[in-house]
Amino acid sequence: MKTITTIADTQSLAESFRREGKRIGFVPTMGFLHEGHLSLMRRARDENDIVVVSIFVNPTQFGPKEDLDRYPRDAEGDRNKCESTGADILFTPGVKEMYPEKPEVFVTVEDVSDRLEGAIRPGHFRGVATVVAKLFHIVKPHRAYFGQKDFQQCAVIRRMVKGLNLDVDVAVLPTVREPDGLAMSSRNSYLNADERRAATVLFRALSTARTLFLEGTKTPEKLKKTAKRIIEEEPEMIVDYVEIVDRETLAQVTTPGREMTLLVAAKIGKTRLIDNIML
Ligand code: AMP
């Protein structure tokens, strides 16, 4: 595996792979890798000739009061994990390489970026869409891999690719969970033992709502109410939102539809957790 820190080197390597007719699979991440990330890398390994992983904690997607400075990092451990999944290229640019000047060009995906996470984290998805567009132009992938864990992010990226006619196939893979159901996340490392135990309530709430749905409760309001009540049984959990949305537009669903997803976001202590389940 080759570790590269410059855009120019990555672009010229990507160009030469393409000239040789090789398929490039790409997994963008912010590092502190866990099994969720590794599942994307393994799928990329299975489906492509070349696997590129990027690790870049992207400042433009963090709000001024968010956790950019304390975001967990483990360069050495991450490198070993990438190597063990058979990645070919690890792209780890510094902030100055990605943003040599104060950024003035942004990609905005309207509407879908404004709801849910976007309403609570203004500018977040603009930062995400911008960095992913930049990374696509650097890595030149045929296919890029994302996790359903960040459901709204996947919708933003799919719509960006469609809206800008980017020639990249977007693959979305299922959420990888801890044995007790908690969705894996780099941010889980912030949780103390009590918070970690309480955090399992999110998946319990999602699963219960899904079971009710499958058993015949189709009304979004009822399902949301049940999920919220379960989360609030953990007194430390502060619910940001419990919402049922259309899978494509992420617009709120009030009458039962076919393609619905239940999303939750809640804070425990200083940590914000998100999760979702398809109904
Ligand atoms: P991040 O490093 O948090 O920016 O995540 C990088 C990629 O890994 C994103 O596409 C995430 O959706 C995906 N990812 C994060 N956590 C999980 C998980 N538990 N299961 C599957 N994919 C995940």
Side-chain angles (χ1 to χ4, degrees):
M1 186 180 77
K2 211 168 172 170
T3 301
I4 307 182
T5 57
T6 70
I7 292 170
D9 286 352
T10 309
Q11 276 175 325
S12 66
L13 211 53
E15 199 47 52
S16 63
F17 289 138
R18 278 187 165 253
R19 267 200 308 272
E20 293 164 14
K22 295 195 163 137
R23 266 187 73 81
I24 303 173
F26 176 42
V27 183
T29 81
M30 299 206 300
F32 210 71
L33 303 176
H34 50 66
E35 276 300 316
H37 298 114
L38 302 192
S39 71
L40 306 184
M41 294 180 202
R42 291 190 192 107
R43 178 69 73 84
R45 181 69 285 164
D46 285 348
E47 295 181 348
N48 301 277
D49 302 306
I50 299 293
V51 175
V52 181
V53 177
S54 68
I55 296 180
F56 179 60
V57 182
N58 172 39
T60 65
Q61 71 188 68
F62 286 78
K65 291 192 182 134
E66 292 184 359
D67 57 344
L68 174 62
D69 292 334
R70 65 176 191 129
Y71 197 83
R73 293 166 202 252
D74 178 16
E76 183 66 29
D78 285 351
R79 204 167 23 248
N80 292 335
K81 285 175 188 160
C82 290
E83 195 133 38
S84 76
T85 63
D88 300 289
I89 309 285
L90 174 58
F91 177 53
T92 57
V95 173
K96 276 269 171 284
E97 180 72 5
M98 289 296 279
Y99 301 107
E101 296 155 11
K102 184 172 179 292
E104 56 177 17
V105 179
F106 292 96
V107 177
T108 306
V109 183
E110 293 187 353
D111 296 337
V112 73
S113 298
D114 303 331
R115 314 178 208 286
L116 304 163
E117 285 303 286
I120 290 167
R121 307 180 66 188
H124 170 65
F125 289 118
R126 183 180 80 151
V128 169
T130 301
V131 81
V132 171
K134 282 163 75 73
L135 288 167
F136 282 1
H137 285 104
I138 295 165
V139 173
K140 306 175 194 273
H142 294 83
R143 191 162 220 220
Y145 297 80
F146 297 89
Q148 192 204 312
K149 155 87 186 356
D150 298 282
F151 190 84
Q152 191 173 6
Q153 171 169 286
C154 293
V156 168
I157 288 162
R158 258 198 251 107
R159 294 179 88 83
M160 172 184 80
V161 164
K162 190 169 171 220
L164 294 178
N165 308 104
L166 302 183
D167 197 8
V168 180
D169 198 24
V170 173
V172 175
L173 270 53
T175 302
V176 177
R177 299 180 179 280
E178 300 287 356
D180 61 10
L182 179 66
M184 289 193 181
S185 164
S186 308
R187 289 190 169 97
N188 292 350
S189 63
Y190 298 152
L191 302 172
N192 67 31
D194 283 345
E195 293 168 344
R196 171 65 187 79
R197 184 199 44 74
T200 57
V201 78
L202 294 184
F203 185 60
R204 276 204 306 285
L206 293 173
S207 311
T208 305
R210 179 152 199 276
T211 305
L212 280 179
F213 178 77
L214 295 176
E215 287 172 354
T217 307
K218 305 289 180 194
T219 319
E221 272 318 309
K222 279 191 191 153
L223 297 167
K224 288 195 292 192
K225 220 181 229 167
T226 304
K228 188 155 186 276
R229 184 180 45 70
I230 294 172
I231 297 171
E232 286 174 345
E233 280 167 12
E234 280 295 344
E236 304 299 308
M237 277 280 173
I238 311 295
V239 173
D240 270 349
Y241 59 79
V242 173
E243 204 49 83
I244 294 182
V245 302
D246 176 87
R247 227 164 267 177
E248 278 306 305
T249 61
L250 266 80
Q252 194 178 323
V253 174
T254 46
T255 51
R258 278 184 313 124
E259 306 263 275
M260 301 197 297
T261 298
L262 170 59
L263 298 106
V264 299
K267 254 207 289 308
I268 182 157
K270 285 187 172 155
T271 309
R272 220 170 147 269
L273 300 172
I274 57 171
D275 202 350
N276 67 82
I277 201 162
M278 297 207 201
L279 293 176

